[in-house]
Amino acid sequence: MELLGTTMTSTYARPKPTPTNFLPAISTMASSYKNRFPHYTLSHSLTLPWRPSTYYKVASATPTLAPLSKSAPGLNPAQILSYPANRTALFTRYTPDDWHKSNLNNYRESESSRRSAERLRVDTSRLIQEKDQKTRKIQTDTSKDLGERVNDIAFWKSEINHEIDQMIGETNALSEVKRRLERALAETEGPLQVAQECLYHREKRMSIDLVHDDVEKQLLQEVDVIKSCQERMRRHLERTAAQLASNRAAQHELERDISDKQAAYRIDDKCQNLRNTSDGIGYFRGVERVDATISVPETWAKFSDDNILKSQGERVASAKLREDVESLLNATSNEMWNQFNLVNVAFTNRISDTADAKNRLQSHLAKTLQEIFQTEMTTEAIKKAIKDKIAPLRVAQTRLDERTRRPNVELCRDIAQIRALSKKSMKSTTPFKSYSNVSEKLRTPYRCWSTQRPTWSMTCPSRPTLFSSTRRNVWA
């Protein structure tokens, strides 16, 4: 409603209060419209919209002109008329033809609108049917595709499960071979220690018996053979440990793949069985714009196929390694047994030679002792004979001494003098010394035999028993 040609966007001036806050109180705005009349000239056009610079708000109550009419001097309420009604009464006048034409136009527009609405209804019905058929077809095709996907997942699940079972069996077999190899390696320490102890005890031989014979050569060869077998076993143990790690890695990849396959199978099977009446279906806004896929069917199948091929390759390598370990165990067992037999044969020959030499030495010792006894008896007889020659020696020496007192030319070297001198030389102690030397020479081998006798029996009698007990359980 306008008041005497004025617009509703008139601005009412009022003194600007001093604001205490950022926005003025509502009571200030309400009181500004009471008993206020503009008392100074407006500084802007009345056609501009009313927008106070400090605060504006849409009032809940429609403002009236009562306060202004009361405050305006010389203006009676009866003179205030409805301005829009006056304008209509003065300017809006139509003829009957205009009225009929207007109705005809309305009829034509109504028919055109109804025809458009009918066409729209037909098109909408057809579109609804088409979309419904298309939706049903897409849903059926999607369910079929999900079924094929579930079948593919089930196929790869069965293949991976079969490969996992094969890999577990191969890993268990390789672990058993590894345990056998470790046990064989540990049990080779016994024969090695026996061979080294034999070499150590043989170093206790003395004198000429400390000989580098065939037994010592075979013992050294046995030590080398055992150490060589141990080194090969350790290398195969390292290879076995590495192969076990590879087998477990391939098995882990298969188990992770089968876990993913099981989750995907459960989800796709659930999606395949979903219907329009199923529980749990709902709207998920924007889910069609989310592309979380990281593979396509070709790469998806290739991933599982690569895992299976890798597992098969590891199984082939593991089987070959098991064969190598079995061959190594047989080869090392044969080598050690052959060398063990060669050492025992060398020991047997050496013991036989030593026993034969010992018997011969004992025979010679008995003869030597008998000769020593006879020599000692002869020595005693010589002593007795020498003792018996003391009186004749005294007689001969007395004669010579007396004959030295002959005077002058009577000191003649006659036959009697010569006989007396020769008789004295025959009574000397030279034969006794000769027999004493012979006796000492005969006693020397006896002393040597007495000191060397323990060495002749040093033939490692405990070796066959130790080796037999050790070798019996090495390759069990």
Side-chain angles (χ1 to χ4, degrees), residues 433-468:
K433 293 181 179 179
S434 298
Y435 279 105
S436 297
N437 293 333
V438 171
S439 177
E440 289 297 328
K441 290 180 180 180
L442 291 175
R443 288 178 183 274
T444 300
Y446 174 73
R447 295 193 187 98
C448 294
W449 180 83
S450 299
T451 57
Q452 296 177 6
R453 181 172 54 188
T455 305
W456 295 340
S457 62
M458 191 67 63
T459 55
C460 296
S462 61
R463 171 184 165 78
T465 303
L466 288 176
F467 258 58
S468 299

Side-chain angles (χ1 to χ4, degrees), residues 309-418:
L309 290 177
K310 181 180 178 181
S311 177
Q312 291 176 350
E314 296 296 340
R315 283 197 298 112
V316 170
S318 178
K320 185 177 183 303
L321 181 59
R322 283 194 296 109
E323 294 178 358
D324 294 342
V325 172
E326 293 289 346
S327 301
L328 175 67
L329 290 176
N330 294 329
T332 53
S333 175
N334 293 332
E335 290 178 7
M336 294 179 67
W337 270 110
N338 292 335
Q339 188 61 34
F340 169 74
N341 293 329
L342 291 176
V343 172
N344 285 341
V345 170
F347 263 114
T348 301
N349 295 334
R350 184 61 179 171
I351 290 172
S352 177
D353 294 341
T354 305
D356 184 50
K358 178 183 176 182
N359 293 331
R360 290 183 181 181
L361 287 175
Q362 286 179 345
S363 175
H364 284 283
L365 177 61
K367 293 178 182 180
T368 303
L369 291 176
Q370 182 64 30
E371 189 65 29
I372 291 173
F373 176 74
Q374 292 178 359
T375 303
E376 289 178 350
M377 294 299 294
T378 303
T379 303
E380 293 297 330
I382 292 173
K383 288 180 180 180
K384 185 178 180 300
I386 291 172
K387 187 177 181 181
D388 292 342
K389 297 303 185 289
I390 293 176
L393 179 61
R394 290 177 180 177
V395 172
Q397 288 181 352
T398 302
R399 287 176 178 176
L400 288 174
D401 183 69
E402 288 296 334
R403 283 177 65 84
T404 58
R405 295 185 181 92
R406 290 178 297 169
N408 299 323
V409 75
E410 294 299 328
L411 291 172
C412 180
R413 188 177 181 85
D414 52 7
I415 297 176
Q417 182 72 21
I418 295 171

Side-chain angles (χ1 to χ4, degrees), residues 6 13 74-75 82 127 131 164 167 170 231 295 307 414 447:
T6 62
L75 185 64
S82 176
L127 180 63
K131 294 301 180 182
I164 288 176
M167 177 57 73
E170 180 62 32
E231 183 63 26
S295 64
N307 288 334
D414 52 7
R447 295 193 187 98

